[in-house]
Amino acid sequence: RDYDEITAFLGDWGPFQKMIFFLLSASIFPNGFCGMSIVFVGDVPEHRCLIPGNLNLSEAWLNRTIPLEQGRGKLQHSQCRRYRLDVIRNLSATFADPGSINMSEVEQEPCLDGWEYSKDQYISTIVSEWDLVCDNHWKGPFAMSIFFVGVLSGSFISGQLSDRFGRKLVMFGTMAVQTVFSMLQAFSPNWKVFCLLNFLVGLGQISNLVAAFVLGSELLGKSIRVAFSTVGAFIPYAIGYMALPLVAYFIRSWPMLLLLLSLSGLLYIPLWWFIPESPRWLLIKGRVQEAEAILRHAAKKNGVTPPEVLFNELELDDMKAKSKESHSIIHLFKTRNIRSITIINLLVWMILTAEYFGLSLNTPNLHGDDYLNCFFSAATEVPAYTAAWLFLRRFSRRFSLSGSLLLGGVVLFFIQLIPSNLFAISTILVMIGKLGTTTAFAIVYIYTAELYPTVV
């Protein structure tokens, strides 16, 4: 018998399974705002060159120290240049009215005294804190890239770690990494330290999500796995994402925002005593007594009587034999069929990740209110994950994935054809594109897991 046959006496949806479903779902909630907080933490406020107050310039001349330039379809003050202040000082001593001067002939210089930032939307962001503008404008996006380098590293090691040390230990350990280093980020003394901590937060975030996903898949029965892998695992992620703009609206200072968001991770400490280790993993490791104890506890919670003997000698010998087999990343490319699956999967995952995070992190560049745009972007994920669950129940995996990918791609393509003054239509198309992409993202998790042999 396989594991599902052995544990069939537990039933599919008893009190034990419901507890596991909802507690694991709750553990994913912080992941929703952890990766997306950079939308507000790293946003670029309106800024212009700082003009020292000791120049004794008139109001009229102060208003003319910053050149005008074309940007975003309108004439606006330059963000990185100013007229040479020594020239402006001399001109102001001679001409009371700057309107009589042809300012286009006046030499310009960079912002030698720093920048002044608008406080209309933010008290502070990492951009205003460390002047990540003009020649240093690349440092803001780079901090986000470092987060995803952490995600890449976590993706490589989380599976191996959970195979070696257990799903539960890795899940709670990486939740601690995510929480602790997010807290420390709020006290970053400079941009370099912020980037280093962002790497560690990214590493913890993906590892926690993957470990919870695997633990849920192994603890829950066949009929519940698809529901957990779509609605259960990802709707809490979407709710966490929806909470981000609400919290950011009331907390406009980036250190306070990060600190408050990270503190929510402390609420999950009590879950350690309620979420068990995966009995499947324990059996593979030869820890049969521990696995039996968990299964008997689950039976007690569900009000059913377990068999006298859960595993016969033949099954135990089979498990011991399998525990000695080793599989590595090489097995993803070993046979022709698996190799084809892996290459196509890599391509699909790369496209989906670029689309999903490109759209999610782009919300400050959409027209309209940043907080509302971020909330709507997050809110589209709830119907997207629900649609993924419904598609997987009614249609084939291939049709569900291809259809949702096609929807997202076609809608985003047609945005290019919308006139630039029709902001509302463009925003609606972005949200529909996000819906299709997010649906595909939920489907590809399950599809990938089902395409490979369990050991791989």
Side-chain angles (χ1 to χ4, degrees):
R1 299 176 301 168
D2 64 17
Y3 179 84
D4 287 316
E5 287 179 272
I6 294 168
T7 57
F9 67 90
L10 290 174
D12 279 338
W13 193 235
F16 176 77
Q17 287 91 342
K18 290 175 183 175
M19 180 188 75
I20 296 300
F21 187 99
F22 291 112
L23 292 184
L24 284 176
S25 296
S27 75
I28 295 168
F29 175 80
N31 291 14
F33 50 72
C34 179
M36 298 302 173
S37 61
I38 198 73
V39 167
F40 299 105
V41 167
D43 199 12
V44 183
E46 290 293 325
H47 58 279
R48 54 191 284 183
C49 292
L50 178 67
I51 306 300
N54 59 358
L55 293 178
N56 296 322
L57 296 175
S58 67
E59 190 71 29
W61 273 105
L62 272 174
N63 292 335
R64 296 301 297 273
T65 52
I66 308 295
L68 293 171
E69 58 185 31
Q70 198 72 23
R72 292 190 177 183
K74 61 180 181 179
L75 205 60
Q76 60 185 24
H77 285 103
S78 173
Q79 296 182 326
C80 299
R81 306 287 293 175
R82 69 185 185 187
Y83 292 117
R84 279 185 52 179
L85 294 188
D86 56 340
V87 175
I88 291 291
R89 192 187 295 112
N90 293 335
L91 287 171
S92 66
T94 310
F95 303 95
D97 180 17
S100 59
I101 305 294
N102 183 3
M103 298 300 288
S104 62
E105 296 178 359
V106 179
E107 286 184 70
Q108 296 181 13
E109 62 185 5
C111 301
L112 301 177
D113 297 294
W115 291 261
E116 57 179 325
Y117 297 90
S118 168
K119 303 283 186 181
D120 292 345
Q121 186 167 345
Y122 303 107
I123 295 172
S124 68
T125 70
I126 61 169
V127 173
S128 61
E129 183 88 9
W130 299 309
D131 289 332
L132 309 183
V133 291
C134 300
D135 290 344
N136 288 324
H137 75 280
W138 59 273
K139 290 185 176 181
F142 184 80
M144 192 71 254
S145 295
I146 289 294
F147 174 86
F148 284 107
V149 172
V151 170
L152 175 67
S153 305
S155 300
F156 270 114
I157 66 172
S158 57
Q160 282 84 347
L161 287 175
S162 64
D163 279 346
R164 184 169 182 180
F165 300 107
R167 284 67 163 117
K168 179 179 175 178
L169 186 64
V170 169
M171 183 183 119
F172 281 95
T174 51
M175 281 175 73
V177 167
Q178 177 180 299
T179 301
V180 170
F181 289 110
S182 289
M183 283 184 191
L184 292 176
Q185 259 190 315
F187 304 98
S188 301
N190 54 54
W191 172 76
K192 290 179 181 176
V193 172
F194 181 89
C195 287
L196 174 63
L197 294 172
N198 219 22
F199 168 83
L200 295 169
V201 171
L203 187 147
Q205 194 231 20
I206 191 65
S207 303
N208 158 32
L209 180 64
V210 169
F213 183 85
V214 171
L215 188 54
S217 299
E218 292 183 345
L219 280 169
L220 298 168
K222 283 181 181 178
S223 63
I224 307 300
R225 276 177 210 146
V226 169
F228 172 76
S229 302
T230 49
V231 177
F234 292 112
I235 283 188
Y237 176 95
I239 294 170
Y241 186 5
M242 289 162 66
L244 171 64
L246 179 65
V247 177
Y249 181 80
F250 292 103
I251 300 177
R252 306 293 181 103
S253 169
W254 75 267
M256 286 302 297
L257 178 61
L258 277 183
L259 188 60
L260 186 69
L261 292 174
S262 60
L263 283 172
S264 65
L266 299 178
L267 300 174
Y268 295 95
I269 294 173
L271 297 192
W272 175 267
W273 288 275
F274 293 94
I275 297 175
E277 181 55 89
S278 164
R280 285 174 183 263
W281 179 79
L282 290 169
L283 290 169
I284 287 172
K285 292 296 178 183
R287 293 157 64 175
V288 179
Q289 287 182 328
E290 291 174 66
E292 278 203 24
I294 291 169
L295 292 173
R296 293 187 184 280
H297 172 72
K300 186 179 177 182
K301 290 277 288 184
N302 285 354
V304 297
T305 305
E308 285 285 330
V309 178
L310 290 181
F311 311 103
N312 60 45
E313 289 297 324
L314 190 62
E315 286 161 351
L316 290 173
D317 289 341
D318 184 49
M319 289 171 196
K320 284 179 185 175
K322 284 180 179 176
S323 68
K324 293 173 183 174
E325 297 174 8
S326 62
H327 297 85
S328 67
I329 200 167
I330 297 167
H331 288 81
L332 294 175
F333 300 92
K334 204 160 188 181
T335 67
R336 185 178 176 182
N337 182 44
I338 293 285
R339 189 161 54 244
S340 300
I341 290 170
T342 299
I343 292 167
I344 294 170
N345 256 321
L346 286 170
L347 183 63
V348 170
W349 276 85
M350 284 173 68
I351 291 167
L352 272 172
T353 307
E355 271 193 70
Y356 175 81
F357 286 103
L359 290 169
S360 300
L361 299 173
N362 189 53
T363 45
N365 297 324
L366 297 175
H367 291 279
D369 185 83
D370 289 351
Y371 300 97
L372 282 177
N373 286 337
C374 184
F375 178 81
F376 290 141
S377 178
T380 59
E381 299 200 3
V382 176
Y385 297 134
T386 307
W389 175 50
L390 295 173
F391 280 145
L392 291 169
R393 289 183 66 187
R394 295 184 64 112
F395 304 108
S396 71
R397 300 330 193 208
R398 183 156 51 177
F399 174 80
S400 301
L401 181 61
S402 302
S404 49
L405 269 171
L406 189 63
L407 171 66
V410 167
V411 169
L412 292 176
F413 175 80
F414 277 108
I415 289 175
Q416 316 304 318
L417 308 179
I418 304 297
S420 58
N421 60 324
L422 299 177
F423 306 136
I425 294 175
S426 296
T427 303
I428 290 168
L429 288 178
V430 167
M431 296 307 168
I432 295 171
K434 176 83 185 293
L435 180 88
T437 302
T438 306
T439 303
F441 218 158
I443 291 168
V444 80
Y445 267 87
I446 297 165
Y447 197 8
T448 302
E450 290 179 345
L451 282 169
Y452 288 111
T454 305
V455 289
V456 179

